[in-house]
Amino acid sequence: MTMTPRRRGRPGHDQDAVLAAAVRLFNTHGYDATSMFDVAESLNITKSTLYHHVSSKEQLLTMAVDRGLDGLFEAAAHSTQTTATAQLEDLIKKSVHVLAERLEFVTLLLRVHGNTEAEQHALTRRREFDRIVTDLVEKAQAEGGIRSDVDPATAARLLFGMVNSLIEWYRPDRGDPAVIAETISKLAFQGLTKRSNG
Amino acid sequence: MTMTPRRRGRPGHDQDAVLAAAVRLFNTHGYDATSMFDVAESLNITKSTLYHHVSSKEQLLTMAVDRGLDGLFEAAAHSTQTTATAQLEDLIKKSVHVLAERLEFVTLLLRVHGNTEAEQHALTRRREFDRIVTDLVEKAQAEGGIRSDVDPATAARLLFGMVNSLIEWYRPDRGDPAVIAETISKLAFQGLTKRSNG
């Protein structure tokens, strides 16, 4: 590919390409094992050109995990549902779409465990998101929408255990995200047990 | 710790200690980034002594992932339940205990993605296990125990998405494994939605 320095136009497009290349390398070889030289080489540009687009490897990591996180926070922010139970179901379904659409970004996000500032930033935002989900479970229990005999934090972790498992197995040939979202919703809210009316 | 060469007795105990130290390093720094020297150093023994216990780093990896896999296969093999639906529920609950008890081994197992023979061996056994779970879902559907409007492979992936999420969040202070197993079972089979009788 050809890349133009940021000031010459199409900065968004170029930066997206840089980000996509970096995330692919981070996910394949690990963040620590990937150098800015590796990123430049995979784009067939010089390191000097690469630094026109981003200031550091850590900036690439921050941008990448924020793509995943922004998607999840948007899913949590814009619900037209009025009950917490419906908002929770809505959030889970929307999150499946975020995972499917931003799979490489969320994969990186969920594997971040380190101690750099960028990684700590990601972990802090992840905890905030987990708190939102746990709060929704608590509210849904309080309004009588979901069973009260499960611990809200555990239920939140298990619901996103299903959603996040997509990073391990999702491929477009393994089902439409809308169908997967519907399956998670059925399993989590109605349960797998066949009922007389089902 | 002190370690005796394998032929001098307590071989099981010594090898367990070697394995535990290796798995901790593999999980913290990655398999590729960990050397046999690192393993020996963390045990305060010489590399020469380490090689009395194990023949290679790859043998350590094989032994470690097999600890996790053996636990899961045993959980699948010894069910006293007679229906596929009950066997599936039983397998999921037992798997939660395997994860909690062998957390570091299963963590390593679930992060294996590479191309060495040991890693391919682990991936092959994981696929066999996934097949067992999918088959149980299919049989449970056929006998009318679980809903037929979900894809068996997707349902199997989501069920173990919940179970496997324990490697990300389980700590003894986050709940008794028996309670977590019960919560997964309630969520997966009965669903979170509160019913008039619940």
Side-chain angles (χ1 to χ4, degrees), chain A residues 10-104:
Chain A
R10 295 197 311 153
H13 173 268
D14 286 356
Q15 207 172 48
D16 277 357
V18 168
L19 199 55
V23 169
R24 204 164 304 127
L25 291 171
F26 295 164
N27 282 336
T28 310
H29 305 292
Y31 174 69
D32 292 334
T34 302
S35 69
M36 286 296 266
F37 176 81
D38 297 329
V39 177
E41 194 181 48
S42 83
L43 288 159
N44 208 20
I45 61 175
T46 64
K47 234 169 98 169
S48 159
T49 305
L50 177 59
Y51 279 108
H52 281 288
H53 297 280
V54 286
S55 61
S56 65
K57 191 173 85 161
E58 193 148 4
Q59 192 202 345
L60 281 171
L61 181 64
T62 305
M63 287 167 64
V65 297
D66 279 344
R67 287 275 170 112
L69 283 159
D70 291 347
L72 292 171
F73 276 96
E74 280 161 27
H78 303 297
S79 185
T80 55
Q81 303 296 334
T82 50
T83 67
T85 308
Q87 281 169 15
L88 180 64
E89 191 163 355
D90 201 37
L91 172 56
I92 287 159
K93 287 185 182 175
K94 283 180 179 166
S95 296
V96 170
H97 288 277
V98 172
L99 271 271
E101 284 158 20
R102 306 187 186 191
L103 197 65
E104 297 225 55

Side-chain angles (χ1 to χ4, degrees), chain A:
Chain A
M1 66 176 292
T2 53
M3 308 220 44
T4 47
R6 190 188 282 174
R7 62 189 180 279
R8 292 236 208 113
R10 295 197 311 153
H13 173 268
D14 286 356
Q15 207 172 48
D16 277 357
V18 168
L19 199 55
V23 169
R24 204 164 304 127
L25 291 171
F26 295 164
N27 282 336
T28 310
H29 305 292
Y31 174 69
D32 292 334
T34 302
S35 69
M36 286 296 266
F37 176 81
D38 297 329
V39 177
E41 194 181 48
S42 83
L43 288 159
N44 208 20
I45 61 175
T46 64
K47 234 169 98 169
S48 159
T49 305
L50 177 59
Y51 279 108
H52 281 288
H53 297 280
V54 286
S55 61
S56 65
K57 191 173 85 161
E58 193 148 4
Q59 192 202 345
L60 281 171
L61 181 64
T62 305
M63 287 167 64
V65 297
D66 279 344
R67 287 275 170 112
L69 283 159
D70 291 347
L72 292 171
F73 276 96
E74 280 161 27
H78 303 297
S79 185
T80 55
Q81 303 296 334
T82 50
T83 67
T85 308
Q87 281 169 15
L88 180 64
E89 191 163 355
D90 201 37
L91 172 56
I92 287 159
K93 287 185 182 175
K94 283 180 179 166
S95 296
V96 170
H97 288 277
V98 172
L99 271 271
E101 284 158 20
R102 306 187 186 191
L103 197 65
E104 297 225 55
F105 296 111
V106 181
T107 299
L108 182 66
L109 169 68
L110 294 178
R111 289 186 183 158
V112 156
H113 286 102
N115 291 309
T116 64
E117 210 174 302
E119 287 166 288
Q120 286 302 317
H121 159 84
L123 290 175
T124 302
R125 289 194 75 193
R126 274 193 68 184
R127 277 193 291 270
E128 279 169 33
F129 183 76
D130 292 347
R131 187 70 243 173
I132 290 172
V133 183
T134 302
D135 284 349
L136 269 181
V137 173
E138 275 171 5
K139 282 181 194 147
Q141 286 178 325
E143 75 190 12
I146 74 168
R147 56 193 311 148
S148 52
D149 61 350
V150 295
D151 171 62
T154 305
R157 290 185 189 113
L158 295 174
L159 288 168
F160 272 81
M162 286 197 277
V163 174
N164 293 342
S165 77
L166 266 80
I167 70 162
E168 304 295 339
W169 59 264
Y170 176 72
R171 295 191 316 237
D173 67 341
R174 286 187 171 170
D176 186 284
V179 175
I180 296 169
E182 196 56 46
T183 302
I184 294 183
S185 173
K186 278 181 201 161
L187 194 161
F189 292 92
Q190 300 168 46
L192 284 177
T193 300
K194 190 162 182 168
R195 292 169 202 288
S196 44
N197 62 346

